[in-house]
Amino acid sequence: MAGAVPKYRVEFVERTGMTRLEERRGYARLMMPLAGNENHVNVMYLGAYTVLAEAVAAVPGIAVLDTTRFFPIIKDIYVDFHKSAASDVTAEFTLEEEQIEAMLADLERKGSSGYVAEFPMHDADGMHVATGRVTVKMLSHGWKKPE
């Protein structure tokens, strides 16, 4: 059912300790903890930023899907670093209602849709430490690539 809490689980992501701080229709605010995700110099490891970027971009789209009919995939992901974070890192992303409605209409009409999520990531002091840019594709379970 559309808007239902998705049942997607990715054990790799769960092992990072990432937490969902706030979610609502088309919106997610997530936090990646430093503990367990630090590198050899005790700052946030690159992979942790990438997991955070993927999740915060995908959750708003997944939350509005009828997951019995549609599923998300990540087409591409880019993280631009500005400053190392020696603390937890948060990110948030909003899909506007117009984007949601257009995405759902495309899914019904052609079985595929997508969006680009671009958002800042902040350390515990509010410093902008990185920017994520993620292309999220939504596909019908029966979708086939046009030939």
Side-chain angles (χ1 to χ4, degrees), residues 18-21 28-32 52 55-56 59 89-91:
M18 185 178 64
T19 58
R20 297 171 181 226
L21 300 175
R29 183 168 176 259
L30 308 177
M31 186 273 298
M32 181 63 70
L52 177 61
V56 83
V59 166
V89 174
T90 59

Side-chain angles (χ1 to χ4, degrees), residues 75 110-112 139-140 142-147:
K75 184 175 179 187
K110 62 184 185 177
S112 68
L139 300 170
S140 164
W143 182 84
K144 292 188 188 319
K145 187 174 182 178
E147 295 184 28

Side-chain angles (χ1 to χ4, degrees), residues 68-80:
T68 65
R69 298 177 58 214
F70 306 107
F71 66 96
I73 60 170
I74 301 301
K75 184 175 179 187
D76 62 48
I77 188 166
Y78 175 75
V79 176
D80 183 19

Side-chain angles (χ1 to χ4, degrees), residues 90-105:
T90 59
E92 63 186 309
F93 175 68
T94 303
L95 268 175
E96 300 298 332
E97 195 60 35
E98 293 169 350
Q99 293 172 287
I100 292 169
E101 295 306 321
M103 179 184 75
L104 294 175

Side-chain angles (χ1 to χ4, degrees), residues 17-83:
M18 185 178 64
T19 58
R20 297 171 181 226
L21 300 175
E22 184 180 353
E23 289 181 43
R24 60 180 179 273
R25 180 177 169 86
Y27 174 81
R29 183 168 176 259
L30 308 177
M31 186 273 298
M32 181 63 70
L34 178 64
N37 297 303
E38 59 270 75
N39 66 13
H40 60 288
V41 293
N42 296 318
V43 296
M44 185 74 65
Y45 178 68
L46 166 65
Y49 285 97
T50 305
V51 170
L52 177 61
E54 176 183 8
V56 83
V59 166
I62 293 169
V64 299
L65 288 182
D66 175 348
T67 55
T68 65
R69 298 177 58 214
F70 306 107
F71 66 96
I73 60 170
I74 301 301
K75 184 175 179 187
D76 62 48
I77 188 166
Y78 175 75
V79 176
D80 183 19
F81 293 95
H82 308 297
K83 181 180 182 337

